[in-house]
Structure formats: C-alpha cells, structure tokens
Amino acid sequence: MMKRRAVMLCSGIQPQATFSLLVAAVKENRPAMVKSRNGRGHQASLLPYLKKGGCDCPRCFYEMPLSDQTFPDPAIYRNGMARYAGHVQVVTTEFEGVRRGVTVTAACSASDNPPTVLVCLNHSNANNAIFERSGIFALNSLAASHQALATAFAGLSGVPAGERFALGTWTTLATGAPVLADAVVSFDCRLTDIKHVSTHFVMFGEVKAIHFGPEAPSLIYLDRGFRTL
C-alpha cells in the first residue's frame, strides 16, 4: 500500500462524472471546483486517503482517519473533535451576588492527591472573567434528564442568562459555588491556578467537597448531538 492524496466529496456531487477532474487536482495538490447535481459549485477538500491497488477509480480510495491530517486547519480539527465523546457538565460560580453557569465538555480530573479538576472556558466571552474573580467554581455532571438545562447554559435556547438557574434546583457546599442538587455528581472547587492558552483559559480547582446526586444515565455530547450512557 502507498499513501495518496484524494478528495472527500460533499453530498450531492456525482463522483464518477467528476473523478478525473479531482484526480488532476490531487496530483497538483490543489482544491478542485466541481458541479453538484443541483448545478452549484463546490470546492472539494483535499484529505489524506489510502490507495489500494494501482488504479485511479473511485472505488480504490477510502478515507483514512482525520487524525492522519498534517497540520489540520481549525475546521478539520473541530470535525475531528466532534467524534470525541464528552460528558456534558455545567460549571458554575457566584461572585458578589452574580451567578454564572456555562455548559462544557472540556473538563476532567487532573489529580486525586490533592483531588483536582480542570475546566476549559473561552476567554473571548467577557462574562467568563467572573470565574477568575470569584476564585471558586462547581463542576456539575449532568444526567440525561438535564438536556434542556445544558442547552440553556450553552446559550442555545434563548433563555436569558439571568433566568437559566431557574431551570434547576441549586444548593451550596464548602465554597459557596452553585451546586446542582440532582447532578450525577458535583465537585465543589477552590481555584488554584489558571492558564491562558490560545482562545481559552484552563482553570485548575482543588476539590473541597463532593455531592452525589441520584444515579441516572449520563448526558453525553458526540457528533454534535446529545447522547446518553
């Protein structure tokens, strides 16, 4: 087997009719404009494929994993990360009477001694600065029944920020950060460090208390949609 460059056709393109054009573009390592069935132009993306055999027909190509891309652009990276299943969580804080919650999947354990979690947030949203000012946060792991709450705290359902906490029942533990009463599990944390990395900042929090909610299927985000596990 040898590695070749080929194309990934978008839906609606007629592969047999355009393949010779695309092969020419591949050999020149450039995109190709092709016509779909509805007559609109499409720029076919060059992706790594693995060639089987010695022929140039479409059936001799199949897609390799996107992780084989060299220097992927952000769009390709996001497509790859869409296949990365993540437990949906809401990270919350409170400072001077103002509460803030954000739906995240970029959160995980960093250590068990001392118990520490990390959470990634987009620093382009000025409202997220409250997490650094407060110095506390709670990481609330959601159950399958929390899909509406997850959508609201992601800002996707049109619920105003000031009304989102009304969608759940909240309590506090050691730090005073809002803890979701029926979360699968919640980690109440004191902020110990923060790192600014490109478009995001990473919060590290030492766990001061843990709340265990009812056992229930977890809410997962995969392929740009909610799943349960």
Side-chain angles (χ1 to χ4, degrees), residues 11 22 27 51 56 58 63 68 73 86 91 97 126 134-135 142 147 151 183 198 210 225:
S11 60
L22 297 172
K27 290 178 179 178
K51 186 175 186 300
D56 277 337
E63 187 179 353
D68 290 340
D73 66 27
V91 58
S134 70
L142 302 188
Q147 183 171 329
T151 303
S198 187
I210 301 177

Side-chain angles (χ1 to χ4, degrees), residues 18-211:
T18 61
F19 196 74
S20 59
L21 170 65
L22 297 172
V23 167
V26 166
K27 290 178 179 178
E28 297 173 16
N29 197 29
R30 60 173 173 81
M33 288 301 298
V34 296
K35 292 286 186 179
S36 66
R37 293 185 181 92
N38 61 16
R40 294 192 324 198
H42 295 265
Q43 182 168 288
S45 301
L46 296 177
L47 292 176
Y49 276 61
L50 192 66
K51 186 175 186 300
K52 302 182 295 182
C55 139
D56 277 337
C57 77
R59 289 173 296 182
C60 285
F61 291 85
Y62 65 89
E63 187 179 353
M64 292 178 67
L66 288 175
S67 59
D68 290 340
Q69 273 280 250
T70 302
F71 305 116
D73 66 27
I76 293 175
Y77 173 78
R78 289 192 297 271
N79 286 338
M81 291 305 297
R83 299 185 178 186
Y84 193 93
H87 191 172
V88 182
Q89 307 180 69
V90 171
V91 58
T92 56
T93 193
E94 182 170 355
F95 182 64
E96 295 182 346
V98 177
R99 292 190 293 183
R100 169 79 174 158
V102 182
T103 301
V104 300
T105 55
C108 66
S109 172
S111 174
D112 66 352
N113 188 20
T116 303
V117 299
L118 67 83
V119 182
C120 300
L121 288 173
N122 194 321
H123 64 61
S124 66
N125 188 330
N127 293 324
N128 288 338
I130 191 174
F131 287 92
E132 187 169 6
R133 293 198 301 269
S134 70
I136 60 173
F137 66 88
L139 185 61
N140 303 279
S141 300
L142 302 188
S145 59
H146 292 132
Q147 183 171 329
L149 186 144
T151 303
F153 277 101
L156 301 176
S157 62
V159 178
E163 301 176 11
R164 294 170 189 173
F165 280 91
L167 299 176
T169 301
W170 305 87
T171 186
T172 57
L173 299 176
T175 71
V179 170
L180 184 63
D182 60 345
V184 175
V185 63
S186 297
F187 300 94
D188 186 30
C189 304
R190 181 75 59 184
L191 184 66
T192 58
D193 197 5
I194 191 164
K195 303 289 186 183
H196 291 265
V197 182
S198 187
T199 57
H200 286 63
F201 62 88
V202 185
M203 300 190 299
F204 293 85
E206 183 175 348
V207 178
K208 296 300 182 181
I210 301 177
H211 167 72

